[in-house]
């Protein structure tokens, strides 16, 4: 099989070179000439000559070229795969060190070829792929490599890919308007259809090729095409059409005197006549035999011998049959071709069997079976390959589906993640808001707590202040009472007693009585100052009025008291505190303000007691005085205790205190 | 004719002192001394004094209330307050309750006898100082309630603000005081000027040349 493709390839390349004069084709041309000159040389001689030549070459790139040509020659002419590979390795080496990428790419092509022959199809494809990629924009070279790819696919039994590859090659040539190359490709496509038993498609492609060959007036190829078409019809068992085509092929072959084509056509015709007209068949076989023997085209000759063997066997001419079978066998051995052997062994076995030479019959039978098996194995390999390809295709499809599924899954996962993210973000926002809220609530609660604590503290302070003031007041009252009732009473009594003695010792006693009077006044003043009796016995208003009147009487300053609004009743403790405030503030004015007038005003309305104390003095600096004097701090404490508000203006026109007390609050205390 | 005198005082020394002081006077007889209001009420009907010297500051009921009670029972009894309080509020109160005289404890024999004579003749006796106090207070009150209206500085500011047609809120913001305080000042002005509303305040203030 390989050899056949190599031949096709070679034919193809030669055609190619005639069409396009490019760098590569020139190289190939050179190579062809050189190779021709070496034709007939032995491998060893060739190697020696190459060595000398290489040594004389001036550059690595030339060496790469030379080695490449040598490799091709070793492959095609010497049929020495090892040597070919050796030269190819060298070519690759020199290509790489010289940076001659063109050559390197071409080496890949040749590697592909070698690997293909060795049956390493995948490695071969990899090499060819490298070549194709490199020559992506060089359609000629690309097609060249793709042709090999198509062949490999075909060998692998992957007819689908093979066809696709050929169709692509076809497109390339179509775009290059290279009709001859197109015809060759169509021919190859026809071959594939023939291999997969699609005779009509094969015939159609062969016919298209034939039309082109006719236009191009390539008679040899036209003949070949008819031959191919006829072969297909033969396989379709359409003997008439087969014969018609074969006859046309033969006629053309004869017209150009092309021996091989003539032999081929004769062989074909013989087969068409085999069943209907055995005599004519024999005639054509003989014709083919004679030509082929003359041109030594053994690969076809072996088939003709075999068929002649069959023919004589069927005609019961065992001697001739054995003769032909043996001829065929020798050639087959020489060519190392298995397929013809199958028929040969089978024929020989059946002949010896009919001659009752069972041992020989058995011998050939066994050989026949062996060959058949190995052929079958080859076929099986092909079908296995096909199956594998199909399987791989399916697997790929599955993978694609799986990938799609995975993609979908990923997408859904992404979606899920997105929603999850959204949830998380939502949750985060919620948590943030919640914590913010919690913080606010906590703050609020803390504030309330603080407020409560402040309130409690204040209450405590007030209680302390209250008990302090209460204690003070009590003490004052006690002292006042003692002075007033006790000491003053005693003084009065002493005075009364002395008065009764007045007549006896007038002057001395009179003096004593005056002294007692003075003491009495002083004690009373002290007592009343401590606790105003009217405050204890009556109300704040009266006590204040009394107080103001007394002060007005004893001081040069005019002290006014005025009361506006209702008379309210407030707790005694509060009254005492208010009175103490009045006392303190009025005293301050008297002592420090240099005022000529002091006004004390109490105004009551709607449970609001407003106390105003004013003077027209020099005023004072709030910052300096407030909190400094014990008196003012006492006022402040009492204002606090009364939960009152204090408003103060003090400037050079005087000082004005306004204290407002909510009497409702006082009831609580 | 002997004048019967009784004394109510929680202070024993005073009781004895007065007794000693009056002992040298034949026309005066101390018929009873009482330590508190209860004893006074209990014994006075039996002792039947013409004059009772009554202290205001007593342990049980104060002298002012006791005065009223005793006079209700015996309208002919002459009561003279003998106390250390010179405050007019006490004076006024006990006089309102029917007391006929008011003496401070630093009194002397002559004054006491003078007081006895005066009340027995049906007139009121007030010690000189007390008389002066009462008088000055009456005059003082008259002074403050007269044509000169005493307006405090804050009230003056509020009055000024009202004349500028400011609202309570605006005034409170201007003077840094609470709206309630502003209202109180306004009410003070109204009662001081005898006005019924803000318009009245302004009108009267202008009349009285306060604006």
């Amino acid at each position: 099989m390989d050899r056949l493709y190599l031949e096709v390839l070679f034919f193809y390349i030669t055609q190619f070179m005639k069409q396009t004069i490019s760098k590569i084709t020139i190289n190939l041309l050179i190579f062809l000439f050189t190779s021709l000159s070496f034709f007939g040389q032995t491998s060893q001689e060739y190697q020696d000559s190459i060595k000398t030549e290489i040594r004389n070459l001036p550059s690595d790139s030339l060496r790469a070229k030379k080695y490449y040509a040598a490799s091709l020659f070793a492959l095609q002419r010497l049929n020495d795969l090892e040597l070919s590979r050796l030269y190819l390795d060298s070519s690759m080496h020199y290509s790489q060190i010289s940076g001659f990428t063109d050559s390197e790419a071409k080496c890949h092509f040749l590697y592909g070829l070698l690997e293909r022959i060795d049956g390493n199809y995948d490695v071969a494809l990899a090499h060819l792929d490298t070549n194709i990629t490199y020559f992506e924009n060089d359609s000629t070279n690309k097609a060249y490599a793709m042709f090999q790819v198509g062949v490999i696919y075909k060998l692998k039994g992957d007819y689908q890919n093979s066809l696709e590859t050929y169709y692509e090659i076809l497109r390339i040539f179509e775009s290059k308007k290279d009709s001859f190359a197109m015809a060759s490709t169509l021919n190859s496509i026809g071959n594939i259809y023939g291999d997969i038993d699609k005779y009509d498609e094969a015939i159609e492609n062969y016919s298209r090729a034939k039309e082109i060959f006719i236009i191009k007036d390539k008679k040899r190829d036209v003949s070949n095409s008819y031959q191919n078409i006829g072969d297909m019809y033969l396989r379709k068992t359409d003997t008439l059409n087969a014969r018609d085509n074969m006859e046309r092929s033969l006629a053309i072959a004869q017209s150009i005197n092309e021996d091989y084509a003539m032999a081929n056509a004769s062989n074909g015709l013989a087969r068409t006549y085999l069943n209907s007209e055995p005599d004519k068949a024999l005639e054509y076989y003989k014709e083919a035999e004679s030509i082929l023997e003359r041109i030594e085209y053994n690969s076809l000759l072996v088939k003709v011998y075999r068929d002649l063997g069959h023919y004589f066997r069927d005609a019961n001419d065992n001697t001739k049959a054995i003769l032909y079978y043996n001829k065929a066998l020798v050639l087959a051995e020489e060519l190392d071709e298995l397929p013809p052997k199958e028929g040969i062994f089978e024929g020989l076995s059946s002949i010896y069997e009919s001659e009752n030479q069972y041992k020989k019959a058995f011998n050939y039978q066994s050989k026949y079976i062996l060959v058949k098996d190995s052929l079958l194995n080859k076929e099986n390999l092909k079908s296995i390959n096909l199956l594998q390809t199909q399987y791989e295709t399916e697997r790929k499809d599955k993978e694609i589906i799986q990938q799609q599924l995975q993609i979908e899954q990923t997408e859904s996962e992404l979606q899920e993640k997105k929603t999850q993210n959204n949830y998380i973000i939502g949750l985060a926002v919620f948590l943030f808001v919640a914590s913010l809220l919690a913080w606010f609530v906590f703050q609020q609660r803390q504030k309330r707590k603080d407020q409560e604590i402040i309130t409690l503290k204040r209450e405590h302070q007030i209680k302390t202040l209250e008990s302090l003031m209460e204690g003070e007041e009590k003490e004052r009252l006690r002292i006042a009472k003692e002075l007033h009732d006790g000491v003053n009473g005693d003084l009065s009594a002493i005075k009364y007693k002395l008065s009764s003695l007045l007549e006896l010792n007038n002057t001395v006693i009179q003096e004593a009585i005056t002294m007692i009077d003075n003491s009495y006044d002083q004690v009373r003043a002290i007592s009343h100052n401590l606790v105003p009796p009217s405050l204890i016995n009556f109300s704040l208003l009266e006590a204040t009025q009394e107080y103001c009147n007394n002060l007005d009487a004893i001081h040069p300053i005019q002290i006014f008291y005025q009361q506006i609004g209702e008379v309210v009743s407030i707790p005694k403790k509060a009254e005492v505190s208010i009175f103490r405030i009045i006392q303190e503030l009025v005293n301050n004015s008297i002592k420090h303000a240099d005022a000529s007038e002091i006004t004390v005003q109490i105004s009551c309305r709607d449970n609001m007691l407003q106390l105003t104390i004013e003077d027209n003095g020099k005023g004072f600096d709030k910052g300096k005085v407030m909190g400094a004097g014990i008196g003012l701090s006492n006022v402040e404490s009492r204002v606090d205790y009364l939960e009152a508000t204090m408003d103060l203006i003090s400037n050079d026109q005087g000082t004005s205190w306004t204290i407002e007390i909510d009497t409702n609050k006082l009831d609580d205390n | 004719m002997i004048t019967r005198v009784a004394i109510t005082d929680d202070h024993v020394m005073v009781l004895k002192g007065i007794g000693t002081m009056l002992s040298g006077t034949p026309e005066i007889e101390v018929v009873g001394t009482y330590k508190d209001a209860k004893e006074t009420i209990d014994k006075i009907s039996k002792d039947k004094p013409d004059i009772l010297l009554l202290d205001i500051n007593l342990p049980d009921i104060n002298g002012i209330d006791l005065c009223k009670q005793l006079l209700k029972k015996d309208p002919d009894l002459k009561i003279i307050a003998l106390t250390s309080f010179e405050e007019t509020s006490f004076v006024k109160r006990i006089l309102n309750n029917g007391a006929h005289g008011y003496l401070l404890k630093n009194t002397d024999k002559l004054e006491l006898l003078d007081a006895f004579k005066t009340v027995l003749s049906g007139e009121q006796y007030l010690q000189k100082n007390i008389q002066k106090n009462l008088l000055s207070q009456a005059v003082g009150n008259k002074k403050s309630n007269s044509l000169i209206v005493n307006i405090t500085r804050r009230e003056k500011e509020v009055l000024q603000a009202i004349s500028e047609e400011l609202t309570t809120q605006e005034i409170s913001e201007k003077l840094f005081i609470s709206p309630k305080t502003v209202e109180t000042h306004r009410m003070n002005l109204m009662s001081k000027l005898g006005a019924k509303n803000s318009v009245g305040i302004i009108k009267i203030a202008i009349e009285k040349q306060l604006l």
Side-chain angles (χ1 to χ4, degrees):
Chain A
M1 290 289 258
D2 280 342
R3 188 152 302 171
L4 178 72
Y5 290 120
L6 274 175
E7 275 163 18
V8 171
L9 170 65
F10 208 69
F11 149 78
Y12 186 77
I13 296 167
T14 347
Q15 295 300 332
F16 226 37
M17 286 189 287
K18 288 174 192 164
Q19 301 282 324
T20 51
I21 307 294
S22 72
K23 218 170 100 184
I24 313 153
T25 45
I26 288 166
N27 288 345
L28 279 171
L29 214 59
I30 293 162
F31 144 71
L32 268 182
F33 280 125
T34 46
S35 63
L36 277 173
S37 65
F38 284 112
F39 200 72
Q41 278 179 324
T42 62
S43 176
Q44 193 54 48
E45 284 169 0
Y46 177 70
Q47 285 181 54
D48 293 341
S49 70
I50 288 292
K51 260 186 204 165
T52 338
E53 266 191 67
I54 295 279
R55 215 176 294 136
N56 294 333
L57 284 174
S59 75
D60 285 342
S61 56
L62 282 175
R63 284 190 191 101
K65 261 187 204 172
K66 183 67 200 170
Y67 272 123
Y68 182 81
S71 174
L72 200 59
F73 183 83
L75 177 68
Q76 288 174 325
R77 294 298 161 187
L78 304 174
N79 205 14
D80 191 337
L81 292 178
E82 268 181 55
L83 188 64
S84 178
R85 191 177 283 272
L86 206 68
Y87 285 141
L88 186 56
D89 288 342
S90 304
S91 178
M92 188 59 139
H93 172 72
Y94 283 114
S95 302
Q96 281 171 346
I97 60 170
S98 66
F100 189 13
T101 47
D102 261 27
S103 175
E104 194 183 322
K106 272 197 280 179
C107 285
H108 278 298
F109 169 75
L110 212 48
Y111 273 124
L113 205 62
L114 286 171
E115 295 292 353
R116 191 208 83 196
I117 292 161
D118 277 353
N120 301 326
Y121 298 134
D122 291 332
V123 182
L125 281 176
H127 279 296
L128 290 169
D129 195 46
T130 314
N131 177 274
I132 290 167
T133 312
Y134 182 81
F135 288 115
E136 190 57 55
N137 296 319
D138 183 345
S139 53
T140 309
N141 268 314
K142 188 183 169 188
Y144 193 35
M146 280 179 74
F147 192 87
Q148 285 302 319
V149 173
V151 169
I152 290 169
Y153 279 131
K154 189 177 160 190
L155 288 170
K156 283 179 77 176
D158 187 348
Y159 295 111
Q160 196 57 45
N161 268 325
S162 183
L163 270 177
E164 275 169 20
T165 310
Y166 281 126
Y167 276 119
E168 201 179 331
I169 297 166
L170 193 63
R171 272 196 293 281
I172 291 170
F173 289 130
E174 259 177 351
S175 68
K176 289 177 77 81
K177 293 193 168 56
D178 186 345
S179 51
F180 183 80
M182 273 173 69
S184 300
T185 312
L186 284 168
N187 211 43
S188 298
I189 292 169
N191 287 341
I192 293 171
Y193 279 123
D195 279 357
I196 54 174
D197 297 334
K198 289 195 167 176
Y199 308 123
D200 294 330
E201 284 88 343
I203 289 165
E204 194 197 322
N205 280 289
Y206 285 139
S207 300
R208 277 185 67 191
K210 182 198 71 186
E211 296 304 321
I212 294 166
F213 287 135
I214 289 170
I215 293 164
K216 290 275 167 186
D217 199 23
K218 300 285 174 189
K219 290 213 167 74
R220 188 181 182 274
D221 297 311
V222 176
S223 167
N224 197 39
S225 297
Y226 277 127
Q227 168 78 34
N228 287 335
I229 294 165
D231 204 35
M232 285 302 121
Y233 279 123
L234 204 62
R235 283 169 69 181
K236 274 180 81 179
T237 60
D238 184 346
T239 342
L240 283 177
N241 267 321
R243 195 173 296 155
D244 181 48
N245 278 288
M246 291 296 187
E247 276 169 353
R248 282 168 191 257
S249 173
L250 185 60
I252 294 164
Q254 282 168 340
S255 75
I256 55 166
N257 205 18
E258 179 71 45
D259 290 334
Y260 169 77
M262 273 158 65
N264 211 358
S266 299
N267 182 37
L269 271 171
R271 283 159 65 204
T272 63
Y273 283 118
L274 198 59
N275 292 325
S276 52
E277 292 171 70
D279 293 342
K280 271 201 171 172
L282 183 60
E283 203 180 300
Y284 281 118
Y285 272 136
K286 286 285 186 187
E287 174 77 24
E289 185 193 3
S290 68
I291 296 167
L292 289 171
E293 278 177 347
R294 181 161 47 82
I295 62 166
E296 290 179 37
Y297 202 91
N298 293 343
S299 60
L300 189 55
L301 186 59
V302 73
K303 283 174 190 166
V304 172
Y305 284 153
R306 181 198 62 192
D307 288 353
L308 277 168
H310 287 332
Y311 175 81
F312 285 117
R313 182 195 62 182
D314 294 345
N316 292 320
D317 189 343
N318 283 352
T319 326
K320 275 192 176 168
I322 290 168
L323 181 78
Y324 276 112
Y325 277 138
N326 281 329
K327 271 186 172 176
L329 197 55
V330 171
L331 272 185
E333 294 288 350
E334 200 177 294
L335 292 168
D336 193 23
E337 276 208 62
L338 216 50
K341 282 185 183 173
E342 187 190 0
I344 294 162
F345 288 138
E346 191 261 335
L348 282 169
S349 173
S350 64
I351 286 166
Y352 286 122
E353 197 187 339
S354 66
E355 285 181 357
N356 297 328
Q357 295 188 38
Y358 294 113
K359 198 182 172 185
K360 277 190 176 170
F362 175 71
N363 195 13
Y364 283 116
Q365 184 69 29
S366 335
K367 280 184 178 172
Y368 161 66
I369 288 163
L370 210 70
V371 171
K372 199 184 173 187
D373 280 356
S374 73
L375 278 176
L376 253 171
N377 276 347
K378 261 192 183 173
E379 282 303 307
N380 280 347
L381 200 69
K382 250 189 194 177
S383 52
I384 284 165
N385 275 336
L386 190 64
L387 279 172
Q388 199 171 357
T389 318
Q390 280 172 345
Y391 165 72
E392 272 171 11
T393 314
E394 264 176 39
R395 207 181 55 181
K396 260 188 188 160
D397 284 348
K398 263 189 192 168
E399 268 176 18
I400 286 165
I401 288 166
Q402 233 165 5
Q403 263 176 351
Q404 272 174 343
L405 270 173
Q406 218 164 8
I407 287 166
E408 272 170 31
Q409 213 177 346
T410 326
E411 266 174 15
S412 68
E413 267 173 24
L414 267 173
Q415 196 64 39
E416 218 172 291
K417 255 193 182 167
K418 235 183 183 177
T419 33
Q420 218 169 18
N421 273 347
N422 281 345
Y423 276 129
I424 287 168
I425 289 166
L427 197 73
V429 167
F430 172 75
L431 278 176
F432 179 70
V433 170
S435 51
L436 214 69
L437 219 72
W439 186 72
F440 270 124
V441 168
F442 177 75
Q443 280 284 315
Q444 214 61 28
R445 258 178 72 179
Q446 198 62 35
K447 256 189 195 168
R448 246 198 342 256
K449 277 262 169 71
D450 289 348
Q451 204 65 46
E452 271 173 33
I453 288 167
I454 288 168
T455 314
L456 277 172
K457 267 188 184 169
R458 206 175 163 274
E459 268 173 25
H460 179 71
Q461 271 179 344
I462 285 168
K463 277 264 148 63
T464 319
L465 195 71
E466 196 184 341
S467 51
L468 216 78
M469 290 191 310
E470 226 173 295
E472 191 188 310
E473 282 309 320
K474 257 187 184 167
E475 201 56 19
R476 277 177 189 233
L477 192 61
R478 195 183 63 78
I479 295 165
K481 260 198 144 109
E482 294 278 307
L483 289 172
H484 193 264
D485 298 345
V487 179
N488 255 14
D490 290 354
L491 285 173
S492 301
I494 293 163
K495 188 182 167 184
Y496 301 148
K497 292 223 173 212
L498 284 175
S499 294
S500 61
L501 300 174
L502 211 57
E503 292 94 34
L504 304 176
N505 198 344
N506 211 338
T507 37
V508 179
I509 292 170
Q510 191 57 53
E511 274 172 23
I513 288 172
T514 312
M515 280 165 71
I516 289 169
D517 273 342
N518 286 339
S519 295
Y520 177 89
D521 283 340
Q522 274 180 31
V523 170
R524 199 174 49 99
I526 293 166
S527 164
H528 287 197
N529 216 16
L530 278 170
V531 181
S534 46
L535 181 63
I536 299 303
N537 291 284
F538 313 118
S539 73
L540 169 72
L541 302 179
E542 280 170 282
T544 309
Q545 183 169 15
E546 208 84 62
Y547 175 71
C548 291
N549 287 342
N550 282 343
L551 286 178
D552 189 39
I554 48 176
H555 290 289
I557 306 166
Q558 274 207 302
I559 299 170
F560 299 105
Y561 167 75
Q562 49 193 12
Q563 191 251 316
I564 306 160
E566 312 142 17
V567 177
V568 288
S569 71
I570 48 176
K572 200 88 269 151
K573 278 191 262 180
E575 280 194 328
V576 171
S577 276
I578 295 167
F579 185 79
R580 294 294 175 213
I581 292 170
I582 295 167
Q583 256 187 323
E584 188 67 49
L585 294 177
V586 171
N587 261 327
N588 275 345
S589 287
I590 291 167
K591 281 184 195 163
H592 309 296
D594 288 342
S596 62
E597 274 181 24
I598 299 170
T599 305
V600 177
Q601 175 183 297
I602 296 175
S603 161
C604 281
R605 191 181 61 87
D606 296 343
N607 296 319
M608 178 64 74
L609 190 146
Q610 191 194 53
L611 177 68
T612 308
I613 293 139
E614 270 186 9
D615 66 51
N616 60 351
K618 59 185 179 186
F620 62 91
D621 188 344
K622 277 183 239 177
K624 273 184 188 166
V625 176
M626 287 296 277
I630 295 165
L632 277 183
S633 81
N634 269 341
V635 169
E636 273 179 85
S637 301
R638 289 180 195 278
V639 166
D640 271 353
Y641 163 69
L642 294 167
E643 293 185 56
T645 59
M646 191 163 72
D647 168 35
L648 163 69
I649 333 166
S650 186
N651 50 33
D652 52 10
Q653 285 166 31
T655 305
S656 172
W657 302 83
T658 308
I659 293 160
E660 281 186 309
I661 303 145
D662 187 347
T663 53
N664 281 333
K665 284 182 184 169
L666 300 177
D667 294 334
D668 300 341
N669 290 319
Chain B
M1 192 190 164
I2 292 166
T3 305
R4 299 168 66 86
V5 174
I7 310 160
T8 302
D9 202 313
D10 58 330
H11 210 267
V12 184
M13 272 189 74
V14 172
L15 294 174
K16 290 202 170 157
I18 293 172
T20 312
M21 190 165 67
L22 294 174
S23 61
T25 316
E27 67 269 29
I28 304 290
E29 188 191 346
V30 176
V31 295
T33 53
Y34 321 120
K35 273 183 278 177
D36 52 30
K38 196 175 168 283
E39 199 184 341
T40 311
I41 294 166
D42 286 346
K43 292 180 177 172
I44 200 163
S45 49
K46 198 180 78 192
D47 294 337
K48 285 192 173 101
D50 299 317
I51 295 164
L52 176 67
L53 292 175
L54 179 63
D55 188 10
I56 288 175
N57 199 9
L58 294 173
D60 39 11
I61 320 171
N62 70 55
I64 297 166
D65 291 341
L66 183 63
C67 173
K68 201 175 183 178
Q69 270 187 39
L70 294 171
L71 286 175
K72 210 176 174 185
K73 268 188 183 172
D74 182 5
D76 293 334
L77 180 68
K78 305 290 178 193
I79 295 176
I80 297 168
L82 181 68
T83 172
S84 314
F85 299 124
E86 62 178 344
E87 280 79 4
T88 49
S89 47
F90 289 84
V91 181
K92 280 185 198 164
R93 268 189 172 72
I94 204 159
L95 289 179
N96 278 342
N97 280 356
H100 303 85
Y102 198 103
L103 288 170
L104 288 173
K105 277 185 181 170
N106 66 349
T107 189
D108 52 44
K109 196 180 174 179
L110 287 174
E111 198 175 37
L112 199 58
L113 294 174
D114 195 20
F116 287 166
K117 219 186 272 172
T118 310
V119 297
L120 282 173
S121 69
E123 283 175 48
Q124 209 171 41
Y125 185 87
L126 295 176
Q127 207 180 30
K128 273 182 196 158
N129 274 347
I130 303 294
Q131 226 165 8
K132 199 181 84 189
N133 278 355
L134 279 175
L135 196 70
S136 78
Q137 194 175 30
V139 170
N141 283 347
K142 232 178 218 168
K143 186 171 74 182
S144 63
N145 287 334
S146 70
L147 290 170
I148 308 151
V149 176
N150 198 353
I151 291 176
T152 67
R153 289 172 68 189
R154 271 299 190 206
E155 283 161 6
K156 220 170 269 174
E157 283 168 358
V158 171
L159 178 64
Q160 190 65 41
I162 292 168
S163 78
E164 286 165 16
E165 291 180 61
L166 296 178
T167 65
T168 302
Q169 188 63 40
E170 286 164 345
I171 296 167
S172 94
E173 279 164 22
K174 190 186 175 188
L175 302 179
F176 302 106
I177 51 178
S178 79
K180 218 174 170 186
T181 308
V182 176
E183 275 308 301
T184 307
H185 286 310
R186 191 199 297 275
M187 296 311 282
N188 290 349
L189 283 168
M190 273 159 68
S191 72
K192 278 180 186 177
L193 296 169
K196 282 171 185 160
N197 51 36
S198 293
V199 179
I201 290 171
I202 300 300
K203 193 184 152 210
I204 297 164
I206 290 167
E207 277 173 12
K208 300 205 169 182
Q209 293 177 329
L210 291 168
L211 272 173

